[in-house]
Amino acid sequence: MNHEISNDLTENNIEPELLRSPKKRSPKKIILVILGVMVLAGLVFLGIHAGAAKTDKTGKAARNKQQVTPVTVAMVTQKTVPIQLQAIGNVQSGSTVSITPEATGRIIGVYFKKGQEVKKGQLLFTLDDRSQTAAIQQAEGIVAKDQAAVQQARDGLTRDLGQVDQARATLIKDLASVRQAQATVGKDQAQVDFAQGQSDRYGALYKKGAISLDTAQQYVANIRTAQATLQADREAIANVQAVLKSDQVALTNAGAVVKGDQAAIANAQAVVSSDQGALDNTKVQLSYAKIYAPIDGRAGNILVTQGNVVQANSTTPLVTLTQIRPIQVAFSIPETNLPQVQKYMQNGKLKVDVTFPDNQAHPIPGNLTFVNNTVDNTTGTIQLIGDFDNTQGHLFPGQFVNATLTLTEEPNATVVPSQAVQNGPDGQFVFVVKPDMTVENVPVTVSSSIDGLDVVQKGPQPGDKIVTDGQANLVSGSKIRIKTAGNNSNVEKSKRNNSPKSGGGES
């Protein structure tokens, strides 16, 4: 080694005496010599490394063109694909109810657990209802008394109506008597007129001497008798008319009594209605002692326990129920997409699918049910809401999900597997397999991705074969070999054997 260094120093015109006569060397000269040697060695090393790298790069490019790379391929196909809008959605409940007491009392029963799903009409809490029960009994007694008073007034009305009917019947009978007496007066008046005529005729005959005085006086007596009878009949009519007036007064008095009875009944019924209202109100207060679920939903944290005294209309809820079946998902889309949504909504309901970020394989289906009436000027978006049955209960209020709104379907769209599309410095591209089993780098324009497929607007054509695995070792013009299932198994086995976990080393 010393001999080689000595030769190098000699070739660079360094005095050999410095090496042969160490006693004559100064420290300064020794340092300069060492520095010179180090600089020279560094230059030599860099030159050798650069040459080797250039040679290796050139060789690698040549090998890429010469070696056959095993790859997997797929066919570019056409299929009907949906036209969709995607956004981040927020799960929200369609109905949230805070349960507050409507009566004051002590809680004597809690019939559910926090986090439990409850049904509409299910009993949740009961309050001590002894005071309401006593008030109901008292109100029922008052109503019963009032109803008895009403019945008593009705009985009086019935009795007085009977008297009215009796007075009306008497009046009718007396009216008949008046009519009969008036008829008798008419008959007797006719007899008086007849008797008067006979008396006048026979009086004239007596004056002529045609009849005797006794005969003439007999006819005078007849007229007096008829007149007396007529006077008696007229007095009878007067008596009957007086009775008739008495009957009319009795009928009027009976009618007044009936009106009084009717007023008493109306007053009694008003009292009954008032007391019945008080009774109904007390029953309503009693119903507040049992608190039922107004909706189907999941119960939140229970903020009271058995034994707590709660106040009517308190601002602090006993529990909050949140509806989760069905449930809603709200998401926003750019306002530029609103005309599309409006267009396709005219044909019926639009489908909305949601997935979780960590589980894209099992979408939850729903329907678009709401488009907001205002565009948010700050974001340039409009809110949409979809309804979901959520029968499995996977969606919870407050969750963030991926929402996909399907507008329509595009027939005969060109699609390629998503893993075939690569990103390069000039954009996205795929490797298309040529008939001579070489590949060509073809730029692509992808419009959307659906279920592991990319919809291609520009690039390979249906029927082309493209590389889906092994692109890392390819350049345009590389030779390939299509791997079979057996080759894939061998490659995977080789990878496992050479991985650090399996104990293999690099080949």
Side-chain angles (χ1 to χ4, degrees):
M1 182 67 184
N2 291 337
H3 180 68
E4 292 175 358
I5 293 175
S6 177
N7 291 337
D8 290 339
L9 294 176
T10 303
E11 291 174 357
N12 287 278
N13 297 321
I14 298 176
E15 289 293 336
E17 286 83 6
L18 293 175
L19 298 176
R20 291 193 299 266
S21 306
K23 291 181 180 181
K24 295 180 180 181
R25 286 178 299 178
S26 66
K28 187 175 181 180
K29 290 183 178 180
I30 295 174
I31 292 173
L32 291 174
V33 171
I34 294 173
L35 289 175
V37 172
M38 292 175 64
V39 170
L40 181 61
L43 292 173
V44 172
F45 176 78
L46 289 175
I48 294 172
H49 182 72
K54 184 176 181 180
T55 304
D56 182 66
K57 185 175 181 180
T58 304
K60 184 176 181 180
R63 287 195 302 272
N64 281 339
K65 291 186 177 180
Q66 295 174 358
Q67 71 179 6
V68 178
T69 304
V71 297
T72 58
V73 298
M75 191 75 71
V76 179
T77 59
Q78 286 183 317
K79 64 180 299 186
T80 299
V81 297
I83 297 176
Q84 298 174 327
L85 299 177
Q86 295 183 336
I88 301 298
N90 180 248
V91 183
Q92 61 185 25
S93 174
S95 179
T96 300
V97 180
S98 296
I99 306 298
T100 56
E102 296 182 84
T104 299
R106 185 183 302 278
I107 294 179
I108 61 175
V110 180
Y111 302 96
F112 68 104
K113 296 180 180 179
K114 55 186 176 182
Q116 176 183 339
E117 290 190 25
V118 298
K119 297 293 184 182
K120 181 178 179 180
Q122 179 177 334
L123 181 62
L124 303 179
F125 301 94
T126 54
L127 306 180
D128 187 356
D129 61 356
R130 289 176 293 180
S131 61
Q132 289 93 338
T133 302
I136 286 177
Q137 292 174 348
Q138 182 180 2
E140 286 175 341
I142 295 174
V143 170
K145 185 178 80 170
D146 295 338
Q147 289 174 339
V150 170
Q151 186 60 44
Q152 183 178 359
R154 285 174 177 169
D155 292 340
L157 176 62
T158 301
R159 182 180 66 251
D160 293 336
L161 285 174
Q163 292 178 353
V164 168
D165 292 338
Q166 184 179 356
R168 186 178 289 112
T170 301
L171 178 62
I172 292 171
K173 182 183 72 173
D174 292 339
L175 283 172
S177 298
V178 168
R179 292 189 184 96
Q180 184 179 1
Q182 288 174 341
T184 301
V185 167
K187 183 183 72 172
D188 291 342
Q189 181 66 49
Q191 290 178 352
V192 167
D193 293 340
F194 178 74
Q196 184 67 43
Q198 283 185 331
S199 175
D200 292 341
R201 185 173 62 253
Y202 283 102
L205 291 175
Y206 171 70
K207 289 178 180 181
K208 292 178 177 181
I211 60 172
S212 65
L213 178 61
D214 292 337
T215 302
Q217 289 179 342
Q218 181 180 356
Y219 283 102
V220 172
N222 289 339
I223 190 173
R224 290 175 179 173
T225 301
Q227 288 176 339
T229 302
L230 178 62
Q231 183 61 33
D233 291 340
R234 288 175 175 171
E235 290 177 356
I237 287 176
N239 292 334
V240 173
Q241 287 177 335
V243 172
L244 185 61
K245 290 181 179 178
S246 176
D247 292 340
Q248 289 175 335
V249 171
L251 180 60
T252 301
N253 292 336
V257 172
V258 168
K259 289 182 178 179
D261 292 340
Q262 291 174 335
I265 290 175
N267 291 334
Q269 287 177 333
V271 173
V272 169
S273 298
S274 176
D275 292 338
Q276 184 66 48
L279 174 60
D280 293 340
N281 181 63
T282 306
K283 288 181 178 180
V284 170
Q285 295 298 319
L286 177 63
S287 69
Y288 293 156
K290 292 183 178 181
I291 301 175
Y292 298 91
I295 61 170
D296 293 344
R298 184 182 293 272
N301 192 21
I302 303 175
L303 302 180
V304 293
T305 57
Q306 185 172 337
N308 290 138
V309 175
V310 295
Q311 300 295 324
N313 301 317
S314 172
T315 57
T316 302
L318 308 180
V319 68
T320 299
L321 300 182
T322 302
Q323 185 183 55
I324 61 172
R325 294 186 180 90
I327 205 166
Q328 298 178 337
V329 174
F331 58 98
S332 297
I333 62 171
E335 60 179 310
T336 54
N337 296 128
L338 180 58
Q340 287 181 287
V341 175
Q342 293 175 320
K343 172 184 176 181
Y344 293 112
M345 280 187 69
Q346 296 177 355
N347 300 327
K349 291 185 177 180
L350 298 182
K351 182 182 178 184
V352 181
D353 294 314
V354 298
T355 57
F356 299 104
D358 58 348
N359 184 7
Q360 302 286 337
H362 298 89
I364 301 173
N367 293 310
L368 182 68
T369 57
F370 173 76
V371 178
N372 207 343
N373 58 0
T374 304
V375 173
D376 189 341
N377 292 330
T378 59
T379 61
T381 61
I382 187 167
Q383 186 189 52
L384 309 181
I385 294 179
D387 282 357
F388 297 80
D389 292 337
N390 198 28
T391 53
Q392 301 298 322
H394 295 317
L395 298 176
F396 266 72
Q399 284 180 312
F400 286 97
V401 293
N402 298 321
T404 302
L405 174 64
T406 302
L407 300 177
T408 185
E409 292 182 340
E410 178 183 352
N412 300 322
T414 302
V415 296
V416 299
S418 297
Q419 65 267 30
V421 180
Q422 303 295 302
N423 293 313
D426 298 326
Q428 294 181 313
F429 67 92
V430 295
F431 286 110
V432 177
V433 179
K434 299 172 69 175
D436 61 355
M437 297 303 289
T438 61
V439 294
E440 179 184 2
N441 184 319
V442 177
V444 295
T445 302
V446 176
S447 62
S448 61
S449 297
I450 301 166
D451 297 333
L453 297 175
D454 286 353
V455 180
V456 174
Q457 298 295 325
K458 181 180 179 182
Q461 300 301 311
D464 289 346
K465 288 183 180 180
I466 57 174
V467 178
T468 59
D469 183 52
Q471 299 97 319
N473 299 320
L474 298 179
V475 295
S476 188
S478 295
K479 294 285 289 184
I480 64 165
R481 173 175 56 84
I482 298 176
K483 293 189 292 186
T484 62
N487 291 336
N488 289 339
S489 301
N490 292 335
V491 171
E492 293 298 324
K493 182 177 180 180
S494 175
K495 288 181 179 179
R496 288 195 300 270
N497 291 336
N498 292 330
S499 65
K501 291 182 179 180
S502 60
E506 291 185 1
S507 59

